[in-house]
Each structure stands twice: as structure tokens, then as C-alpha cells.
């Protein structure tokens, strides 16, 4: 969270001088939304235009409060950013399938190269309206890598806030991460939002970091703790 001292992070701490940076892209400004709403975004120009906050709070993976205006507040506190650069105001639910093949020194993890930040990441994405997290896990994996794991029962590792670069005080990402175990690697090919799909050594985080660096790439920072948790789970 950019430019916010830890002592001023909490919403209950007074900070009259707080001036967050508006990160709303041109296509989500009120004037643009009045003419055309992107397929991935809701039409509400501000949180005041959202009519179902009670339902969104009930459905949220991570509970959140509304301020005196009825605007949603990031569960972790101030971010240094305002506006919206995500599909929805408040929580944006995501699904992150962590696919690992093999065991021990032969263990590998399937990662994609994200088109937006050109970094190696879990092949996940946003949960569609009316879709369940388990269905989104399977769909995102199939769309981005061609790997179809319908019928496989994953281990749900957690439901967490994600340090997404698009988050703001009033719009953020919370993800359901799940572990899929395969006996060996399967054919995968980058598609949709993925420029590439690659199996990397995953005996440890150190081995993964080395392999990604050797390939001239970098690991998407928000997914590091999710992958580390999955490897820790397997090492128990």
C-alpha cells in the first residue's frame, strides 16, 4: 500500500490531510461509463450508485465496513489510492488454482506469463457474476492454460486479500486459492490473458525463484505468499 505509514493505515485513526491518488482509468470515469460500460466492469460510476451493499457484505470472502457515505472501506485500511481500476466497487472475488505435478525433487508448478504485467503468476482470475469459486478455478485454468481439471478435487488453502496493483481504498481483490495435485506434468499452452504457460521446478521457493530468474522473468509479487503456502502444505 503506497505512501501510507503503518501508524495511519487504520480507518479509525484520524488523518485530515489524507489525499489518496485517484487511479481510475479513462474507461471507468463517470463520463466514459455513461457512454459505454466495459464488459468486465459494472456500470456504477461511484459506490453511491451501488444498490446491493448489504448483499455484497454478506457474500464477501473478507468482511468489510462502509463509511459514513455508504462507500466500502478496504479491510486492511488506507491504501494511498482512491477510485476504481477493477470491475467492481468493494470486493472483487478471484480464484487462483495452484497446480503442482510430481513430488520431491521432481515437483513442478504450472505458471502463466500475465499479459498485463509480464510476470509469472498463478493461472487465475476473477469470479464471474453468479459463478461459484470452484467453477471459476476450473474455468480460469482451462481458459489460460488449456488444462481441464473438471472432476479433480482440490484442497482449498485459503481465502485471502490479495496485494493487487489495481486495488484502492474502495475496490480490492480477495481470492480463493486451491491446490490441485497431478502425478506428472500435462500439456499446457498460454491463452486468453496468458502469453505463455510454463512448468517450473517447485521443490522449494528458492528453486522456483532460481528457475524464473534464469528464464529472465519475475514472479508476480501478490502470488508469492499463495505459492509459498501451497509448498509448505505439501512439505508437512
Amino acid at each position: 500500500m503506497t505512501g501510507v505509514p503503518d501508524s495511519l493505515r487504520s480507518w479509525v485513526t484520524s488523518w485530515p490531510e489524507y489525499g489518496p491518488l485517484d487511479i481510475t482509468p479513462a474507461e471507468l470515469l463517470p463520463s466514459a461509463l455513461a457512454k459505454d460500460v466495459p464488459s468486465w466492469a459494472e456500470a456504477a460510476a461511484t459506490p453511491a450508485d451501488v444498490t446491493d451493499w448489504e448483499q455484497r457484505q454478506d457474500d464477501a470472502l473478507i468482511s468489510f465496513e462502509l463509511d459514513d457515505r455508504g462507500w466500502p472501506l478496504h479491510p486492511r485500511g488506507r491504501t494511498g489510492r482512491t477510485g476504481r481500476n477493477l470491475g467492481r466497487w468493494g470486493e472483487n472475488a478471484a480464484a487462483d488454482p495452484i497446480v503442482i505435478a510430481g513430488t520431491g525433487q521432481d515437483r513442478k508448478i504450472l505458471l502463466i506469463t500475465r499479459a498485463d504485467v509480464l510476470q509469472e503468476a498463478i493461472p487465475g482470475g476473477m469470479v464471474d457474476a453468479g459463478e461459484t469459486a470452484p467453477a471459476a478455478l476450473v474455468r480460469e485454468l482451462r481458459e489460460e492454460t488449456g488444462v481441464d481439471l473438471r472432476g479433480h478435487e482440490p484442497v482449498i488453502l485459503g481465502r485471502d486479500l490479495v496485494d493487487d496493483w489495481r486495488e484502492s481504498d474502495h475496490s480490492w481483490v480477495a481470492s480463493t486459492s486451491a491446490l490441485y495435485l497431478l502425478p506428472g506434468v500435462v500439456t499446457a499452452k498460454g491463452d486468453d490473458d496468458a502469453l505463455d504457460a510454463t512448468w517450473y521446478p517447485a521443490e522449494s521457493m528458492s528453486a522456483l525463484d532460481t528457475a524464473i530468474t534464469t528464464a529472465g522473468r519475475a514472479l508476480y509479487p501478490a502470488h508469492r505468499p499463495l505459492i509459498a503456502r501451497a509448498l509448505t502444505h505439501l512439505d508437512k
Side-chain angles (χ1 to χ4, degrees):
M1 296 186 180
T2 305
V4 180
D6 289 342
S7 61
L8 296 173
R9 186 85 61 204
S10 173
W11 292 112
V12 302
T13 301
S14 177
W15 189 4
E17 301 83 10
Y18 180 51
L21 173 69
D22 193 330
I23 62 169
T24 306
E27 63 266 30
L28 294 183
L29 291 173
S31 57
L33 290 173
K35 299 176 182 177
D36 178 63
V37 179
S39 60
W40 51 271
E42 66 179 345
T46 75
D49 299 312
V50 175
T51 60
D52 63 343
W53 281 120
E54 184 174 351
Q55 187 62 54
R56 294 192 188 198
Q57 287 178 295
D58 288 343
D59 294 341
L61 294 177
I62 309 296
S63 62
F64 66 92
E65 302 295 330
L66 304 178
D67 65 14
D68 293 340
R69 300 172 296 175
W71 288 32
L73 295 174
H74 195 298
R76 283 186 182 152
R78 297 181 176 98
T79 66
R81 296 182 289 268
T82 190
R84 173 168 66 110
N85 194 13
L86 289 162
R88 287 162 55 94
W89 292 103
E91 182 179 281
N92 290 258
D96 289 309
I98 301 170
V99 183
I100 293 181
T103 59
Q105 294 183 344
D106 296 326
R107 195 163 66 189
K108 295 183 183 298
I109 185 170
L110 179 59
L111 300 179
I112 62 164
T113 305
R114 286 179 57 141
D116 56 353
V117 292
L118 301 180
Q119 294 176 327
E120 304 304 276
I122 298 166
M126 297 301 174
V127 178
D128 290 340
E131 184 180 40
T132 64
L137 288 164
V138 172
R139 175 184 56 77
E140 285 288 346
L141 182 63
R142 185 174 64 249
E143 288 178 354
E144 296 192 343
T145 70
V147 176
D148 192 341
L149 293 185
R150 282 177 293 182
H152 287 71
E153 190 68 29
V155 177
I156 303 299
L157 295 176
R159 296 172 176 85
D160 312 277
L161 290 168
V162 176
D163 292 327
D164 193 281
W165 62 277
R166 298 162 294 181
E167 71 180 356
S168 73
D169 289 351
H170 309 295
S171 182
W172 59 89
V173 178
S175 172
T176 297
S177 59
L179 174 63
Y180 289 87
L181 296 176
L182 302 179
V185 299
V186 296
T187 300
K189 181 180 180 181
D191 202 354
D192 193 37
D193 294 331
L195 299 179
D196 198 3
T198 306
W199 288 98
Y200 285 101
E203 177 187 357
S204 64
M205 283 302 299
S206 177
L208 176 60
D209 284 335
T210 297
I212 290 176
T213 300
T214 300
R217 299 178 179 179
L219 180 61
Y220 184 52
H223 287 173
R224 174 176 292 276
L226 304 182
I227 296 172
R229 181 170 58 191
L231 298 186
T232 297
H233 175 84
L234 291 173
D235 290 337
K236 289 181 179 178

